[in-house]
Amino acid sequence: MAVILARILCGALMLASGAAIAAEQSAPSGTTVDRHITADGRERGYRLHLPPMAGGNEPRPLVLVFHGGGGDPASAERLTRFSELADRAGFVVVYPEGVGKNWNDGREHAYAGAFRDAVDDVAFVSALIDALAGELALDPRRIY
């Protein structure tokens, strides 16, 4: 598991090649919106929450919150309450969506579509970070 997490973190900081951002407007600060990007040839969803005044020039931390198996971004937001914390602390939070409500996290379970379809979640997270960094003032040293 530590190797998988290291791959995700290292991969997330690398530039993702071939990532296409869906043409969408930025979310108003203090709100959560559902969005999509295309990464590794697959359209993927995520929820983005911007704290109040997040549109300023001050680089902000980015926190990625991953849902558990069988979950989704909306339930992760509701259960963790990271959006409320983000509003108080001033960081941007994003809730990526796994394929078929699962991640290809190294567990070889045939029932998990992400494993069965060899989904590249590292490419998705990399593309997501790159897309957000291209439109928001993020502090690249504070991506969690």
Side-chain angles (χ1 to χ4, degrees), residues 28 30 32-33 40 43 53 56 79 96-97 112 119:
T32 301
V33 295
D40 196 36
E43 186 171 317
M53 306 300 287
L79 290 170
E97 184 171 22
V119 172

PDB file of all heavy atoms in Angstrom, residues 28 30 32-33 40 43 53 56 79 96-97 112 119:
ATOM      1  N   PRO A  28     -17.404  29.666  -8.337  1.00  0.00           N
ATOM      2  CA  PRO A  28     -17.322  30.839  -7.467  1.00  0.00           C
ATOM      3  C   PRO A  28     -16.775  30.430  -6.104  1.00  0.00           C
ATOM      4  O   PRO A  28     -17.022  29.317  -5.643  1.00  0.00           O
ATOM      5  CB  PRO A  28     -18.770  31.320  -7.346  1.00  0.00           C
ATOM      6  CG  PRO A  28     -19.599  30.441  -8.211  1.00  0.00           C
ATOM      7  CD  PRO A  28     -18.751  29.313  -8.707  1.00  0.00           C
ATOM      8  N   GLY A  30     -16.257  29.811  -2.209  1.00  0.00           N
ATOM      9  CA  GLY A  30     -17.204  29.443  -1.172  1.00  0.00           C
ATOM     10  C   GLY A  30     -18.241  28.438  -1.636  1.00  0.00           C
ATOM     11  O   GLY A  30     -19.232  28.226  -0.950  1.00  0.00           O
ATOM     12  N   THR A  32     -19.131  24.532  -3.928  1.00  0.00           N
ATOM     13  CA  THR A  32     -18.670  23.249  -4.435  1.00  0.00           C
ATOM     14  C   THR A  32     -19.367  22.985  -5.757  1.00  0.00           C
ATOM     15  O   THR A  32     -20.578  23.178  -5.863  1.00  0.00           O
ATOM     16  CB  THR A  32     -19.005  22.116  -3.446  1.00  0.00           C
ATOM     17  OG1 THR A  32     -18.386  22.398  -2.184  1.00  0.00           O
ATOM     18  CG2 THR A  32     -18.508  20.772  -3.957  1.00  0.00           C
ATOM     19  N   VAL A  33     -18.594  22.562  -6.754  1.00  0.00           N
ATOM     20  CA  VAL A  33     -19.169  22.241  -8.062  1.00  0.00           C
ATOM     21  C   VAL A  33     -18.646  20.888  -8.530  1.00  0.00           C
ATOM     22  O   VAL A  33     -17.539  20.488  -8.182  1.00  0.00           O
ATOM     23  CB  VAL A  33     -18.853  23.306  -9.132  1.00  0.00           C
ATOM     24  CG1 VAL A  33     -19.510  24.627  -8.797  1.00  0.00           C
ATOM     25  CG2 VAL A  33     -17.360  23.487  -9.308  1.00  0.00           C
ATOM     26  N   ASP A  40      -5.936  10.186 -19.613  1.00  0.00           N
ATOM     27  CA  ASP A  40      -5.628   8.842 -20.092  1.00  0.00           C
ATOM     28  C   ASP A  40      -6.767   8.302 -20.964  1.00  0.00           C
ATOM     29  O   ASP A  40      -7.103   7.130 -20.910  1.00  0.00           O
ATOM     30  CB  ASP A  40      -5.341   7.916 -18.900  1.00  0.00           C
ATOM     31  CG  ASP A  40      -4.634   6.632 -19.306  1.00  0.00           C
ATOM     32  OD1 ASP A  40      -3.790   6.681 -20.224  1.00  0.00           O
ATOM     33  OD2 ASP A  40      -4.935   5.581 -18.707  1.00  0.00           O
ATOM     34  N   GLU A  43     -13.009  10.070 -19.493  1.00  0.00           N
ATOM     35  CA  GLU A  43     -13.593  11.198 -18.787  1.00  0.00           C
ATOM     36  C   GLU A  43     -13.776  10.814 -17.321  1.00  0.00           C
ATOM     37  O   GLU A  43     -14.295   9.742 -17.010  1.00  0.00           O
ATOM     38  CB  GLU A  43     -14.941  11.592 -19.385  1.00  0.00           C
ATOM     39  CG  GLU A  43     -15.490  12.850 -18.752  1.00  0.00           C
ATOM     40  CD  GLU A  43     -16.715  13.389 -19.451  1.00  0.00           C
ATOM     41  OE1 GLU A  43     -16.749  13.411 -20.689  1.00  0.00           O
ATOM     42  OE2 GLU A  43     -17.649  13.792 -18.726  1.00  0.00           O
ATOM     43  N   MET A  53     -12.983  33.777  -1.101  1.00  0.00           N
ATOM     44  CA  MET A  53     -11.834  34.581  -1.520  1.00  0.00           C
ATOM     45  C   MET A  53     -10.712  33.746  -2.136  1.00  0.00           C
ATOM     46  O   MET A  53      -9.578  34.178  -2.200  1.00  0.00           O
ATOM     47  CB  MET A  53     -11.271  35.409  -0.361  1.00  0.00           C
ATOM     48  CG  MET A  53     -12.315  36.283   0.330  1.00  0.00           C
ATOM     49  SD  MET A  53     -13.074  37.480  -0.772  1.00  0.00           S
ATOM     50  CE  MET A  53     -11.739  38.631  -0.953  1.00  0.00           C
ATOM     51  N   GLY A  56      -8.223  35.030  -5.223  1.00  0.00           N
ATOM     52  CA  GLY A  56      -7.148  36.004  -5.107  1.00  0.00           C
ATOM     53  C   GLY A  56      -5.827  35.476  -5.627  1.00  0.00           C
ATOM     54  O   GLY A  56      -5.712  34.344  -6.072  1.00  0.00           O
ATOM     55  N   LEU A  79     -19.155  13.197   4.427  1.00  0.00           N
ATOM     56  CA  LEU A  79     -18.630  12.442   5.569  1.00  0.00           C
ATOM     57  C   LEU A  79     -17.416  13.105   6.220  1.00  0.00           C
ATOM     58  O   LEU A  79     -17.278  13.099   7.440  1.00  0.00           O
ATOM     59  CB  LEU A  79     -18.263  11.023   5.140  1.00  0.00           C
ATOM     60  CG  LEU A  79     -19.433  10.114   4.795  1.00  0.00           C
ATOM     61  CD1 LEU A  79     -18.928   8.827   4.155  1.00  0.00           C
ATOM     62  CD2 LEU A  79     -20.258   9.803   6.034  1.00  0.00           C
ATOM     63  N   PRO A  96     -11.718  13.682  -5.932  1.00  0.00           N
ATOM     64  CA  PRO A  96     -11.699  12.917  -7.189  1.00  0.00           C
ATOM     65  C   PRO A  96     -12.677  11.737  -7.127  1.00  0.00           C
ATOM     66  O   PRO A  96     -13.001  11.240  -6.038  1.00  0.00           O
ATOM     67  CB  PRO A  96     -10.260  12.406  -7.283  1.00  0.00           C
ATOM     68  CG  PRO A  96      -9.490  13.148  -6.254  1.00  0.00           C
ATOM     69  CD  PRO A  96     -10.458  13.581  -5.204  1.00  0.00           C
ATOM     70  N   GLU A  97     -13.102  11.279  -8.290  1.00  0.00           N
ATOM     71  CA  GLU A  97     -14.038  10.158  -8.369  1.00  0.00           C
ATOM     72  C   GLU A  97     -13.362   8.931  -8.974  1.00  0.00           C
ATOM     73  O   GLU A  97     -12.782   8.998 -10.059  1.00  0.00           O
ATOM     74  CB  GLU A  97     -15.237  10.545  -9.228  1.00  0.00           C
ATOM     75  CG  GLU A  97     -16.305   9.482  -9.293  1.00  0.00           C
ATOM     76  CD  GLU A  97     -17.566   9.979  -9.973  1.00  0.00           C
ATOM     77  OE1 GLU A  97     -17.505  10.951 -10.745  1.00  0.00           O
ATOM     78  OE2 GLU A  97     -18.619   9.382  -9.712  1.00  0.00           O
ATOM     79  N   ALA A 112     -13.770  -5.150  -8.884  1.00  0.00           N
ATOM     80  CA  ALA A 112     -13.482  -3.720  -8.992  1.00  0.00           C
ATOM     81  C   ALA A 112     -13.146  -3.379 -10.437  1.00  0.00           C
ATOM     82  O   ALA A 112     -12.117  -3.789 -10.969  1.00  0.00           O
ATOM     83  CB  ALA A 112     -12.333  -3.343  -8.070  1.00  0.00           C
ATOM     84  N   VAL A 119      -7.346   0.864 -14.937  1.00  0.00           N
ATOM     85  CA  VAL A 119      -7.480   2.319 -14.903  1.00  0.00           C
ATOM     86  C   VAL A 119      -6.214   2.930 -14.316  1.00  0.00           C
ATOM     87  O   VAL A 119      -5.695   2.453 -13.307  1.00  0.00           O
ATOM     88  CB  VAL A 119      -8.719   2.709 -14.065  1.00  0.00           C
ATOM     89  CG1 VAL A 119      -8.780   4.207 -13.837  1.00  0.00           C
ATOM     90  CG2 VAL A 119      -9.986   2.204 -14.736  1.00  0.00           C
TER      91      VAL A 119
END
